[in-house]
């Protein structure tokens, strides 16, 4: 694992449309710098696996490609932050302006402001391709692309041999709705973070290695 220098950025938000590569980059950041990614989507799926009230309520909305209420995810993130040391990589949070403002408040109280927001800029065509080929491991939660890291859908997870599944919201119908939600509710965070001087725009259609190289250059810059 790489050692962090003085200006190292360890409070990060990954912002972008569905399937723009946020989860993949969060895994690469973890492997290089040891910061555990925090995905509110994965938290909600975990709540559902455990059969909690929040998980069941969220699943109804998620299946339809809708965002869950701000209060639901803010509660999860607040609990998460309280149990951690101040480093984080948020994948898929914040997803609304209200969540962005709430996060700012939570971090202000803890005196741990954001260091950078990576914006994954990618075309609609690339997103469609990625969604249709994406599978997730039920056991370890890692994401793979059929035809790239795994040959066929019924193969086991290449990392832990777990069962690979398509997410219930990775359909073209749900994607359309998720893109609408993204444009209406999430995209306003782009100018919000640009004005705050935190936005770093990534050419997210490039290979995972090329995108990660841009990210690590920024994270390690003094
Ligand atoms: P993801 O795994 O990040 O693509 O999230 C899957 C689904 O979980 C989203 O389509 C939403 O329904 C829900 N979700 C995840 N994170 C958030 C969030 N920050 N705000 C609202 N809904 C969320």
């Amino acid at each position: 694992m790489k050692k962090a220098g003085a200006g190292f950025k360890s409070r990060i938000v990954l912002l972008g449309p569905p399937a723009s590569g946020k989860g993949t980059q969060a895994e690469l950041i973890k492997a290089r710098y040891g910061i555990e990614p925090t995905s509110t989507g994965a938290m909600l799926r975990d709540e559902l696996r455990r059969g909690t009230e929040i998980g069941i309520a969220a699943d109804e909305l998620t299946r339809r490609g809708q965002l869950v209420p701000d209060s639901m995810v803010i509660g999860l993130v607040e609990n998460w932050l309280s149990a951690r040391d101040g480093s984080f990589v948020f994948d898929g949070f914040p997803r609304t302006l209200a969540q962005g403002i709430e996060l700012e408040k939570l971090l202000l109280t803890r005196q741990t402001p954001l260091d950078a927001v990576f914006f994954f800029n990618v075309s609609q065509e690339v997103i469609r391709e990625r969604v249709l080929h994406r599978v997730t491991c039920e056991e370890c939660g890692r994401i793979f692309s059929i035809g790239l890291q795994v040959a066929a859908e019924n193969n086991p997870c290449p990392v832990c041999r777990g069962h690979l599944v398509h997410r219930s919201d990775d359909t073209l119908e749900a994607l359309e709705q998720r893109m609408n939600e993204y444009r209406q509710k999430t995209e306003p965070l782009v100018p919000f973070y640009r004005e705050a001087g935190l936005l770093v725009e990534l050419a997210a259609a490039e290979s995972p290695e090329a995108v990660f190289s841009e990210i690590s250059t920024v994270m390690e810059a003094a």
Side-chain angles (χ1 to χ4, degrees):
M1 199 168 301
K2 205 158 162 106
K3 230 177 146 41
F8 181 68
K9 299 182 183 51
S10 63
R11 294 189 292 272
I12 306 287
V13 161
L14 307 180
L15 175 67
S20 55
K22 303 186 296 292
T24 301
Q25 294 303 320
E27 285 300 328
L28 293 173
I29 293 172
K30 179 184 166 188
R32 171 82 65 95
Y33 304 112
I35 310 173
E36 194 71 38
T38 309
S39 149
T40 41
M43 281 180 184
L44 293 168
R45 285 188 287 279
D46 188 51
E47 294 282 328
L48 178 66
R49 256 193 303 276
R50 290 189 285 117
T52 67
E53 215 170 292
I54 211 178
I56 293 163
D59 185 51
E60 294 257 317
L61 297 162
T62 297
R63 276 176 185 276
R64 281 189 259 134
Q66 290 174 8
L67 294 185
V68 309
D70 289 334
S71 57
M72 225 183 232
V73 281
I74 288 164
L76 289 174
V77 169
E78 195 167 5
N79 288 342
W80 187 93
L81 277 174
S82 302
R84 299 305 195 290
D85 66 354
S87 297
F88 53 78
V89 173
F90 284 129
D91 160 12
F93 176 87
R95 249 183 168 101
T96 64
L97 215 40
Q99 290 177 19
I101 291 165
E102 209 48 50
L103 176 64
E104 210 173 10
K105 284 193 212 151
L106 286 174
L107 296 179
L108 196 67
T109 337
R110 290 168 170 76
Q111 294 181 308
T112 53
L114 275 180
D115 288 327
V117 175
F118 291 107
F119 170 48
F120 289 63
N121 204 351
V122 67
S123 72
Q124 176 81 31
E125 292 70 48
V126 172
I127 291 172
R128 268 173 70 101
E129 276 303 299
R130 286 187 182 170
V131 160
L132 293 178
H133 289 100
R134 177 160 78 171
V135 282
T136 310
C137 175
E138 273 188 327
E139 263 66 51
C140 70
R142 286 190 177 81
I143 310 151
F144 303 98
S145 184
I146 300 167
L148 282 180
Q149 300 101 333
V150 284
E153 198 175 326
N154 51 4
N155 283 15
C157 169
V159 176
C160 77
R161 315 293 297 163
H163 185 219
L164 298 178
V165 289
H166 274 288
R167 283 170 39 169
S168 62
D169 57 344
D170 271 349
T171 62
L172 285 183
E173 300 75 52
L175 177 64
E176 199 166 319
Q177 179 59 28
R178 281 156 73 202
M179 282 307 296
N180 285 341
E181 290 276 81
Y182 171 76
R183 284 193 202 100
Q184 277 177 31
K185 298 181 180 164
T186 311
E187 225 162 45
L189 285 165
V190 174
F192 175 76
Y193 284 128
R194 187 177 283 129
E195 275 154 33
L198 290 168
L199 201 78
V200 179
E201 201 157 327
L202 302 169
E206 300 291 322
S207 69
E209 294 73 27
V211 177
F212 184 63
S213 157
E214 287 187 59
I215 289 179
S216 55
T217 302
V218 172
M219 286 182 74
E220 292 179 28

